[in-house]
């Protein structure tokens, strides 16, 4: 009995540990500066939208959202298409060729973006891709290939090869087998991989920071870093920025929780 | 019947992208590490192993390495312990528990920049909520300059890293726990085992693969941390939170020593590869069957 209450206490304390900072961000976003300083934890009194409207008036927020959307959707789309094709070919080809191609991608898992950042910075400058969202999409897709190929190959291995064989007996070419059989069967795994990539790209700081320079091109994490400098004394405004940029991810998370958990966990198992 | 020609067309675009924009640049990084290139000028000279010698003997580099180890050990120990305890408490699929799992997992989907900014304010010495709470609770002597005090700054950031990712690792443990056959528990209970004994003889040994995954992931993730430290302290105060990744960044973009920074990256990569290799070994050794 005592243990049961002790267990509940632990769960409650940890829930507060997660909730209190998030609650603080939420209420601060609707507080006046004086209310923020006098009673940081209280419900906003008076409740004001000034921070939110002010943020959208002073900053090109819609543009930042747009940039993040373009980069994230572009990268994830390219990534899913190319990586699932590779995963399919690896599994279908099999043998030593399959192994070698797989190994080539897995080797890239060890190299973190913090190591590739310098050469990628200089290469993209030489290519004239700096400050281009398209360039950023292509580079991000290349850098995430190891993990997405790794995840998707694992999923594709679970496909029943007899179905593919039967299909090819009936005269279907590989593209047809891939789009009509492999992709539909792998759909849940594609969704999990997609959410993992979505979170990675939407939240990425390093690669956008190396490539983007002009204010009109910034993605949300970069914009937040910049607010930090601009709103050094205006904390409610700063925290409003945090809240507003987190909302799309939180909404997606609530809607697609299962895939978020599966994706982020599968991604974490890559080692 | 496989059509290999068609299959190679499947491989081509992805391989081109990957080799051209990831493999090839990473190899040029190795090349730069033997030069004195500043990252902008058109010319550079070969300096052999000088950059490696300079890195290894640099005080800042050594400090960064020490901080890396401190940060990693703190995060690995705290995160493994906390995520295991939470998983044991939340393993059953009741409604409340499923909601709590989602809540604990939530911070993992926020960007490190958001998390870093939130906690930079929580830790703020004058207006931050931690000190505010301590003062309100009559424990003013505990109040600190959490990320401004060189003695504790790295641990304060490690705590934030755990805050953000313990829920994610909890899910890995829960998956492991749910994979343990119920009969084994029953058998252990039939043998008259108490709670602790059941944990020691059934749960813990069968949980070993999940534990290895959690430790492996946490080790590598915390060793290559960057965003959180960059956002919260940028390596300060006085290099107290400088780790290898921020050292590489500062060396390349702060002091324009691209060659030196590249050598730093290569040393970092070797360390990371060694860690990964150890983890793979451990993963293989710990496979259990039941």
């Amino acid at each position: 009995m005592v243990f049961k209450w002790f267990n509940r206490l632990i769960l409650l304390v940890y829930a507060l540990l997660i909730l209190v900072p998030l609650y603080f961000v939420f209420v601060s976003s609707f507080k006046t500066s004086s209310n923020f300083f006098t009673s940081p934890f209280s419900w906003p009194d008076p409740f004001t939208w000034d921070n939110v409207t002010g943020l959208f008036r002073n900053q090109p927020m819609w543009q930042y959202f747009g940039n993040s959307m373009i980069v994230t959707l572009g990268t994830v789309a390219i990534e899913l298409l190319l990586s699932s094709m590779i995963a399919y070919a690896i599994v279908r080809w099999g043998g030593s060729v399959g192994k070698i191609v797989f190994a080539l991608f897995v080797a890239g898992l060890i190299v973190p973006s913090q190591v590739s950042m310098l050469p990628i910075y200089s290469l993209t400058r030489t290519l004239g891709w700096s400050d281009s969202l398209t360039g950023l999409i292509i580079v991000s897709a290349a850098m995430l290939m190891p993990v997405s190929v790794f995840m998707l190959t694992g999923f594709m291995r679970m496909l029943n090869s007899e179905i593919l064989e039967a299909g090819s007996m009936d005269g279907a070419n590989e593209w047809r087998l891939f789009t009509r059989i492999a992709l539909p069967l792998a759909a849940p795994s594609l969704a999990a991989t997609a959410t993992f990539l979505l979170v990675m790209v939407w939240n990425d700081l390093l690669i956008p920071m190396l490539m983007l320079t002009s204010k009109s091109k910034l993605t949300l994490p970069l914009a937040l870093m910049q607010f930090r400098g601009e709103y050094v004394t205006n904390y409610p405004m700063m925290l409003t920025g945090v809240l507003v940029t987190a909302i799309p991810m939180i909404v997606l998370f609530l809607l697609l929780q299962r895939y978020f958990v599966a994706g982020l966990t599968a991604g974490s198992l890559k080692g | 019947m496989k059509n290999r020609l068609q299959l190679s067309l499947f491989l081509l675009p992805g391989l081109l992208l990957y080799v051209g924009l990831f493999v090839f640049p990473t190899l040029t990084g190795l090349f730069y590490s033997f030069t004195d290139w500043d990252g902008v000028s058109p010319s550079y000279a070969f300096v052999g192993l000088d950059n490696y010698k300079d890195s290894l003997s640099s005080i800042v580099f050594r400090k960064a390495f020490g901080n890396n180890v401190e940060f990693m050990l703190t995060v690995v120990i705290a995160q493994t312990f906390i995520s295991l305890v939470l998983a044991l408490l939340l393993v059953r699929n009741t409604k409340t528990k499923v909601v709590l799992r989602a809540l604990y997992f939530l911070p993992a989907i926020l960007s490190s920049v958001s998390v870093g900014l939130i906690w930079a304010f929580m830790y703020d010495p004058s207006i931050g909520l931690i000190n505010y709470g301590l003062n309100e609770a009559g424990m003013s002597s505990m109040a600190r300059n959490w990320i401004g005090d060189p003695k504790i700054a790295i641990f304060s950031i490690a705590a934030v890293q755990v805050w953000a990712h313990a829920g994610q690792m909890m899910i890995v443990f829960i998956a492991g726990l749910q994979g343990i056959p119920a009969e084994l528990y029953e058998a252990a209970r039939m043998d008259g085992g108490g709670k602790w004994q059941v944990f020691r003889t059934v749960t813990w040994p069968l949980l070993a693969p999940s534990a290895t995954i959690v430790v492996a992931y946490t080790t590598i993730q915390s060793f290559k941390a960057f965003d959180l430290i960059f956002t919260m302290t940028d390596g300060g105060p006085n290099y107290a939170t400088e780790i290898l990744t921020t050292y590489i960044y500062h060396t390349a973009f702060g002091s324009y020593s691209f060659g030196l920074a590249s050598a730093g990256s290569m040393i970092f990569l070797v360390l990371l590869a060694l860690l990964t290799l150890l983890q793979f070994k451990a993963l293989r050794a710990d496979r259990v069957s039941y």
Side-chain angles (χ1 to χ4, degrees):
Chain A
M1 215 37 207
V2 177
F3 277 113
K4 202 138 207 184
W5 281 108
F6 185 62
N7 290 350
R8 283 189 186 165
L9 186 69
I10 295 177
L11 292 176
L12 178 73
V13 169
Y14 200 79
L16 287 177
L17 220 56
I18 300 290
L19 273 174
V20 168
L22 300 181
Y23 168 81
F24 170 68
V25 173
F26 182 79
V27 291
S28 303
S29 303
F30 303 103
K31 279 182 179 181
T32 59
S33 237
S34 65
N35 189 209
F36 171 82
F37 281 111
T38 47
S39 41
F41 281 113
S42 71
W43 190 251
D45 178 33
F47 189 98
T48 171
W49 288 95
D50 287 359
N51 296 318
V52 181
T53 52
L55 190 69
F56 278 83
R57 204 174 41 241
N58 303 337
Q59 303 285 347
M61 285 306 291
W62 293 117
Q63 180 141 36
Y64 297 147
F65 271 104
N67 294 342
S68 272
M69 292 276 266
I70 292 169
V71 171
T72 307
L73 296 180
T75 307
V76 174
I78 292 180
E79 191 70 41
L80 279 186
L81 178 67
L82 298 187
S83 301
S84 60
M85 282 164 65
I86 288 173
Y88 174 80
I90 287 174
V91 172
R92 182 99 169 105
W93 198 311
S96 50
V97 174
K99 272 190 195 138
I100 291 169
V101 175
F102 184 61
L104 179 67
F105 282 101
V106 170
L109 282 177
I110 302 173
V111 183
S113 46
Q114 293 90 342
V115 166
S116 2
M117 71 177 167
L118 307 182
I120 280 180
Y121 171 79
S122 48
L123 178 71
T124 51
R125 273 173 50 120
T126 319
L127 292 171
W129 287 5
S130 334
D131 215 22
S132 138
L133 294 182
T134 319
L136 176 60
I137 290 174
I138 299 172
V139 171
S140 302
M143 297 194 66
L144 283 166
M145 285 224 112
V147 58
S148 57
V149 167
F150 181 79
M151 284 168 76
L152 288 170
T153 306
F155 296 134
M156 291 272 183
R157 278 196 212 288
M158 293 189 280
L159 288 184
N160 186 343
S161 60
E162 279 157 31
I163 305 179
L164 296 177
E165 276 306 317
S168 77
M169 293 289 211
D170 292 342
N173 62 23
E174 296 294 344
W175 181 253
R176 226 179 141 76
L177 294 176
F178 173 67
T179 52
R180 296 294 162 84
I181 301 177
L183 286 186
L185 285 176
S189 339
L190 285 173
T193 311
T195 47
F196 169 75
L197 294 171
L198 201 81
V199 177
M200 292 289 283
V201 183
W202 184 266
N203 290 338
D204 191 25
L205 169 71
L206 189 61
I207 303 304
M209 187 164 76
L210 293 174
M211 293 187 63
L212 305 175
T213 43
S214 53
K215 193 168 167 154
S216 64
K217 296 279 172 62
L218 301 186
T219 56
L220 288 168
L222 289 177
L224 272 183
M225 283 299 279
Q226 193 193 303
F227 296 171
R228 178 199 154 105
E230 278 178 42
Y231 297 128
V232 91
T233 50
N234 190 344
Y235 300 112
M237 194 68 128
M238 167 80 259
L239 295 167
T240 308
V242 170
L243 177 73
V244 167
T245 61
I247 284 176
M249 276 290 121
I250 293 178
V251 170
L252 268 186
F253 173 67
L254 294 176
L255 292 175
L256 304 171
Q257 225 187 85
R258 198 157 61 88
Y259 294 115
F260 268 84
V261 172
L264 268 190
T265 314
S268 72
L269 301 192
K270 76 186 167 75
Chain B
M1 286 204 301
K2 302 167 193 175
N3 190 327
R4 300 224 152 115
L5 182 69
Q6 286 176 20
L7 285 177
S8 34
L9 291 177
F10 275 67
L11 293 173
L12 199 64
L15 270 176
L16 275 178
L17 185 73
Y18 174 62
V19 173
L21 287 170
F22 187 83
V23 179
F24 168 73
T26 307
L27 292 175
T28 63
L30 180 64
F31 174 81
Y32 294 139
S33 74
F34 301 112
T35 71
D36 65 353
W37 194 34
D38 60 5
V40 259
S41 47
S43 64
Y44 50 79
F46 282 95
V47 293
L49 288 173
D50 281 4
N51 288 328
Y52 289 87
K53 285 184 207 145
D54 291 351
S55 291
L56 292 172
S57 58
S58 138
I59 295 170
V60 178
F61 183 89
R62 289 180 179 195
K63 173 104 179 124
F65 177 71
N67 289 336
N68 244 69
V69 172
E70 245 172 15
F71 184 77
M72 181 181 80
L73 288 178
T74 313
V75 173
V76 170
I77 294 169
Q79 183 152 297
T80 309
F81 178 73
I82 292 173
S83 56
L84 176 63
V85 170
L86 296 178
L88 287 169
L89 297 179
L90 291 178
V91 62
R92 291 223 197 108
N93 290 325
T94 67
K95 220 169 187 158
T96 332
K97 294 191 175 178
V98 171
V99 172
L100 281 177
R101 277 185 224 162
L103 174 67
Y104 294 174
F105 186 86
L106 183 65
I109 65 157
L110 300 176
S111 71
S112 326
V113 177
S114 301
V115 171
L117 291 179
I118 295 171
W119 280 91
F121 288 106
M122 297 288 293
Y123 280 145
D124 189 290
S126 49
I127 64 141
L129 295 191
I130 306 267
N131 283 355
Y132 176 89
L134 288 172
N135 288 335
E136 293 286 296
M139 296 190 283
S140 309
S141 60
M142 296 271 289
R144 296 273 185 288
N145 188 351
W146 298 98
I147 51 174
D149 179 346
K151 280 206 265 323
I152 54 170
I154 192 92
F155 300 107
S156 304
I157 302 180
V160 179
Q161 172 83 12
V162 175
W163 182 83
H165 292 287
Q168 199 184 340
M169 293 302 104
M170 168 196 77
I171 302 284
V172 177
F173 273 128
I174 288 178
L177 285 168
Q178 291 181 337
I180 299 176
E183 308 92 69
L184 286 177
Y185 282 114
E186 273 157 39
R189 246 173 257 130
M190 296 269 273
D191 290 346
K195 267 201 164 163
W196 170 244
Q197 205 158 10
V198 172
F199 177 79
R200 217 171 46 89
T201 56
V202 179
T203 316
W204 181 242
L206 292 178
L207 206 55
S210 319
T212 329
I213 288 170
V214 168
V215 172
Y217 173 77
T218 310
T219 305
I220 290 164
Q221 220 45 36
S222 53
F223 194 74
K224 62 184 193 192
F226 174 82
D227 294 14
L228 209 52
I229 288 183
F230 184 78
T231 311
M232 292 180 75
T233 57
D234 198 16
N238 197 19
Y239 302 113
T241 57
E242 185 90 306
I243 54 170
L244 292 174
T245 53
T246 56
Y247 165 84
I248 295 167
Y249 186 86
H250 291 142
T251 310
F253 301 108
S255 41
Y256 294 101
S257 309
F258 229 74
L260 186 63
S262 299
S265 314
M266 291 302 139
I267 299 171
F268 174 69
L269 182 59
V270 169
L271 292 170
L272 194 71
L274 284 176
L275 273 180
T276 312
L277 207 70
L278 279 178
Q279 305 291 4
F280 272 127
K281 276 228 157 108
L283 274 173
R284 220 160 274 160
D286 271 10
R287 283 267 173 269
V288 289
S289 48
Y290 48 84

